[in-house]
């Protein structure tokens, strides 16, 4: 399998981003539901059991982010084992939001007069 050459054209990159799958990272939610963990402090010792020495700030970013940084597959598998879940529980693919284009009104635009339609004392008149 051959990789496509990288393009320096900004429009190509925008098109590539549109084709990339969209997902939700649900680590924080799974920690709360599966382990009743509402902070990141308990995750560190569990990851150490699998050989991952992450500092507190790295664990915080891993849990609190919407899109986690690139990480080894082994780390993802360790998270799945710790939380007793599957990859599909941790990373959930979502459908891209449809682009809604506002249609321009058809036909000629209405003519708006340059002067007020009502006289200034219209609302002051007693009826």
């Amino acid at each position: 399998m051959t990789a496509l050459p990288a393009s320096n054209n900004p429009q190509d990159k925008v098109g590539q981003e549109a084709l990339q799958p969209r997902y939700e990272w649900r680590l924080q939610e799974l920690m709360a539901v599966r382990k009743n963990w509402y902070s990141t402090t308990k995750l560190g010792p569990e990851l150490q059991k699998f050989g991952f020495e992450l500092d507190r700030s790295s664990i915080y970013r891993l849990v609190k982010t919407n899109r986690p940084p690139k990480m080894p597959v082994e780390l993802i598998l360790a998270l799945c084992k710790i939380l007793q879940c599957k990859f599909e529980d941790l990373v959930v693919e979502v459908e891209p939001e449809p682009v809604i284009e506002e249609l321009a009104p058809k036909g000629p635009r209405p003519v708006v007069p340059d002067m007020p339609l009502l006289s200034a004392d219209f609302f002051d008149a007693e009826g």
Side-chain angles (χ1 to χ4, degrees), residues 2-23:
T2 59
L4 297 174
S7 171
N8 290 332
N9 185 348
Q11 289 180 338
D12 289 345
K13 289 182 182 181
V14 170
Q16 290 170 352
E17 288 176 6
L19 295 175
Q20 289 181 348
R22 301 200 187 277
Y23 64 92

Side-chain angles (χ1 to χ4, degrees), residues 105-111:
K106 294 184 179 181
R109 294 180 51 166
V111 177

Side-chain angles (χ1 to χ4, degrees), residues 25-28 30-31 34-35 37 40 42-44 46-50 52 54 58-59 61-63 65 68-69 71-87 89-91:
W25 179 243
R26 299 220 171 138
L27 178 57
Q28 185 174 15
L30 285 173
M31 286 173 52
R34 301 278 175 128
K35 294 288 189 175
W37 294 346
T40 60
K42 294 182 181 179
L43 186 58
E46 292 296 319
L47 286 171
Q48 286 177 351
K49 292 177 185 176
F50 290 91
F52 293 99
L54 299 175
S58 296
I59 293 172
R61 285 192 310 270
L62 183 66
V63 172
T65 186
M71 65 181 86
V73 172
E74 293 83 6
L75 177 57
I76 295 172
L77 291 174
L79 290 170
C80 289
K81 286 185 179 188
I82 292 167
L83 298 171
Q84 300 168 345
C85 68
K86 296 179 183 177
F87 177 79
D89 300 327
L90 187 59
V91 179

